[in-house]
Amino acid sequence: MFNKRIKIKELLAQLPQEQQVTVMGWVRTFRNNQFIALNDGSTNTNLQVVAQLGKFDEDLLKRLTTSASIKATGIVVPSLGKGQKMELKADTIEILGDSDAEVYPLQPKKHSLEFLREKAHLRFRTNTFASVFRVRHTLAFAVHKFFNEKGFFYLHTPIITASDAEGAGEMFHVTTLPLDNPPKNDDGTINYKEDFFGKATNLTVSGQLEGELGATALGDIYTFGPTFRAENSNTARHLAEFWMIEPEMAFYDLEDNANLAEEFIKYIIHYALENNREDLDFLAARLADEEKQLPQDKRSEMGLIEKLEFVLNNDFQRLTYTEAIDILRESNHNKKKKFQYPITGWGMDLQSEHERYLVEKHFKKPVILMNYPASIKAFYMRVNDDANPAEGRGNTVAAMDILAPGIGEIVGGSQREARLDVLLEKMKTMDIPAEEMWWYLDTRRFGTVPHAGFGLGFERMVQFVTGMGNIRDVIAFPRTPKSAEF
Ligand code: 4AD
Ligand code: MG
């Protein structure tokens, strides 16, 4: 057996008692021809491995370069040097893999996040990214733990689908037809009957519709999987491939839905603070350092940990779309024409600058916006009976978006339209073909129930918790317009 090592994180939790151990990892630095700072990915804290002078031959010492991988065995003793309580006095050091210092792309110095994005295959070897990906793991684990404890079932909805759940039309096609010469119908359109599935298919934009099928039998389900959107949005908050968590609950209305979402978000933040404080402290320091470059008024009012604790200890602000429009219209920001998109009135869609104004300037806490105009939301949302034509207000739907400071929209969800006749009417006006959705409509035909659900963008959540400003830095290999490297 090769692997009889102790992980550095586990070792550092012990007392140095001359125990004999084997560690393996990558050399971060080697100084004074004697001190190796060894990292094995379990923690950002390196283990000092001491190669006593005279004990190892020069050839071996020359190969202890940054990112070389080694196996070291020896005795753990208290360290006399400052900065660490223990060190490993090596008896044997074996080079597992050399790393040519001349060509290794990362130096033991600070690199920009942009530079590291181009070296995404190696950026896990930096403290920042190691912390981000350990926190991402902790959050993913907390997601499953939360829903499991609540009796939800993890449902795997399809990645390839023939439906366009959001009706947004920004989908990646999936086909085996030859692109240079696809079979055509008489009218010149592509004949998908000859395609692999016998119909046009795409990568899923959301597992919700299938999730509803599960919830209306199993009660409470959630999905947690990749979703794909071919939106040409080159922003710090959009990916073409992102992970979404979509719980769907039978016998829930909009308020139940909002309560669950708030509890869920607080739970996973709390779990990360409890179980990965070391990495969060590192990321908090990184963020504070980064913000030192900014002018005073652009800096966050709270540090990362303080912000997370604030979110845990305060209720999210709940208000309706209509109330939000009133606040925005009356704001000085609007009156001084500082919005790029002015507030034109009830019925307009909110831009991210409006959402961020509400969250960051007005309420200074997470916000749950509810009951949006029906005309700007998806077909499946429950119609409220509140149209007021005299005030220029049409129907709203039982929608909710959760907006987070620094991020904007982090959750989108709704109570679903459970009434077959209302749903059919809505689909007609929105040009959604009812024949193709027969399976979805069957849930409304056979024992329909009030139900609701939401989608949390996992990367946006990871951004919020880690304080990373760009979504490309919280997913291992980001997929964005014109970029699918690695
Ligand atoms: O608001 P969205 O489009 O809602 C849905 O897909 C619903 N079917 C969810 C449901 O009710 N089950 O997306 C949900 C969340 C957004 O709030 C955002 O956090 C994230 O998914 N999201 C993205 N994250 C990264 N890149 C993108 N291009 C995203 N688009 C949406
Ligand atoms: Mg949305």
Side-chain angles (χ1 to χ4, degrees):
M1 193 172 73
F2 176 72
N3 193 342
K4 251 183 113 179
R5 66 168 173 137
I6 184 168
K7 290 197 178 173
I8 290 174
K9 186 181 168 105
E10 192 188 334
L11 179 60
L12 292 173
Q14 299 179 1
L15 292 172
Q17 296 172 312
E18 309 219 337
Q19 61 272 50
Q20 161 122 14
V21 300
T22 297
V23 293
M24 300 182 206
W26 295 266
V27 174
R28 279 284 170 88
T29 56
F30 182 45
R31 54 184 183 84
N32 296 355
N33 229 16
Q34 197 173 181
F35 302 111
I36 305 166
L38 190 70
N39 189 283
D40 70 358
S42 60
T43 165
N44 278 346
T45 313
N46 300 323
L47 178 70
Q48 173 148 292
V49 177
V50 184
Q52 273 175 287
L53 290 173
K55 190 164 175 163
F56 298 91
D57 58 82
E58 279 303 312
D59 281 351
L60 181 105
L61 298 179
K62 277 205 194 90
R63 293 167 66 197
L64 293 171
T65 50
T66 298
S67 246
S69 52
I70 65 166
K71 170 179 179 180
T73 300
I75 302 292
V76 185
V77 296
S79 176
L80 300 177
K82 55 176 166 29
Q84 68 265 331
K85 65 170 189 181
M86 65 170 72
E87 61 193 25
L88 181 73
K89 226 163 90 186
D91 287 322
T92 63
I93 295 174
E94 187 187 326
I95 308 274
L96 299 175
D98 287 290
S99 171
D100 184 346
E102 296 285 302
V103 289
Y104 178 63
L106 307 184
Q107 305 306 317
K109 63 155 200 177
K110 220 172 137 171
H111 290 292
S112 75
L113 296 173
E114 290 78 10
F115 172 84
L116 290 170
R117 235 169 264 152
E118 302 192 339
K119 308 274 182 275
H121 59 307
L122 294 172
R123 65 180 176 169
F124 302 108
R125 298 187 188 194
T126 66
N127 284 339
T128 296
F129 286 95
S131 282
V132 166
F133 288 104
R134 283 189 297 259
V135 171
R136 184 180 164 115
H137 161 81
T138 305
L139 289 169
F141 185 78
V143 167
H144 290 297
K145 193 163 156 26
F146 175 81
F147 287 117
N148 187 57
E149 283 168 6
K150 284 208 168 291
F152 281 57
F153 301 108
Y154 181 23
L155 187 70
H156 296 98
T157 50
I159 306 289
I160 300 175
T161 166
S163 86
D164 170 9
E166 289 304 297
E170 289 158 330
M171 299 180 299
F172 290 101
H173 295 292
V174 174
T175 182
T176 53
L177 293 177
L179 286 180
D180 48 356
N181 185 22
K184 297 272 179 70
N185 297 312
D186 292 343
D187 62 1
T189 56
I190 292 175
N191 181 3
Y192 285 106
K193 289 212 176 64
E194 288 192 25
D195 204 349
F196 188 91
F197 296 107
K199 54 162 80 170
T201 52
N202 51 269
L203 294 177
T204 185
V205 296
S206 157
Q208 178 197 323
L209 302 191
E210 292 90 349
E212 286 185 53
L213 309 182
T216 50
L218 295 166
D220 298 326
I221 64 92
Y222 70 106
T223 72
F224 186 177
T227 46
F228 307 85
R229 297 194 186 177
E231 316 176 70
N232 209 352
S233 310
N234 234 326
T235 79
R237 277 179 295 279
H238 286 89
L239 290 166
E241 176 178 304
F242 65 99
W243 288 66
M244 187 156 49
I245 296 131
E246 294 186 276
E248 191 70 34
M249 298 74 64
F251 319 112
Y252 259 58
D253 66 11
L254 186 64
E255 190 185 348
D256 300 322
N257 201 25
N259 291 344
L260 182 79
E262 182 168 344
E263 185 186 345
F264 169 54
I265 289 172
K266 288 179 171 172
Y267 180 98
I268 61 176
I269 292 175
H270 182 250
Y271 188 84
L273 279 168
E274 291 281 296
N275 292 279
N276 206 347
R277 187 56 185 253
E278 188 185 319
D279 285 316
L280 289 176
D281 282 338
F282 176 86
L283 291 164
R286 186 208 73 84
L287 185 63
D289 199 47
E290 183 183 86
E291 293 205 340
K292 277 193 202 133
Q293 327 288 328
L294 300 174
Q296 197 80 43
D297 64 320
K298 290 261 156 52
R299 294 183 201 166
S300 314
E301 284 172 29
M302 292 181 205
L304 181 64
I305 304 288
E306 206 188 341
K307 174 190 85 176
L308 297 176
E309 281 169 352
F310 177 85
V311 169
L312 288 187
N313 296 327
N314 288 280
D315 289 341
F316 292 7
Q317 182 73 42
R318 299 186 189 195
L319 71 159
T320 65
Y321 164 90
T322 304
E323 288 164 339
I325 286 287
D326 290 344
I327 290 172
L328 290 166
R329 192 196 289 112
E330 296 309 314
S331 69
N332 277 336
H333 211 76
N334 188 47
K335 289 182 177 157
K336 289 188 184 151
K337 305 209 183 324
K338 284 197 186 153
F339 287 126
Q340 192 190 338
Y341 297 89
I343 303 300
T344 50
W346 197 92
M348 70 177 285
D349 205 353
L350 297 181
Q351 301 294 326
S352 73
E353 57 171 342
H354 307 135
E355 298 176 338
R356 295 186 67 165
Y357 177 85
L358 288 170
V359 175
E360 287 157 30
K361 297 272 175 334
H362 192 82
F363 292 112
K364 296 179 188 279
K365 53 151 85 168
V367 165
I368 310 184
L369 269 185
M370 294 161 140
N371 298 322
Y372 285 73
S375 54
I376 57 172
K377 288 289 182 186
F379 76 94
Y380 49 71
M381 299 189 179
R382 182 184 164 88
V383 182
N384 296 320
D385 309 313
D386 61 350
N388 190 343
E391 290 181 17
R393 292 176 184 186
N395 279 110
T396 60
V397 284
M400 64 170 204
D401 275 6
I402 301 187
L403 316 175
I407 307 285
E409 182 191 332
I410 194 161
V411 161
S414 72
Q415 184 173 340
R416 315 307 186 191
E417 184 53 78
R419 297 162 294 185
L420 181 65
D421 54 337
V422 182
L423 184 56
L424 282 171
E425 189 53 40
K426 188 76 172 290
M427 288 169 75
K428 210 155 109 193
T429 55
M430 292 180 114
D431 267 334
I432 295 170
E435 323 77 69
E436 285 173 26
M437 301 285 286
W438 61 272
W439 46 274
Y440 183 70
L441 293 166
D442 266 4
T443 55
R444 275 63 168 177
R445 290 192 178 104
F446 308 118
T448 192
V449 288
H451 64 289
F454 62 85
L456 171 80
F458 188 55
E459 283 74 20
R460 291 190 188 175
M461 189 69 213
V462 180
Q463 274 191 281
F464 185 72
V465 174
T466 59
M468 299 300 284
N470 195 309
I471 200 163
R472 293 166 180 78
D473 296 333
V474 298
I475 188 164
F477 304 107
R479 299 292 178 248
T480 53
K482 303 279 176 286
S483 167
E485 197 64 47
F486 310 106

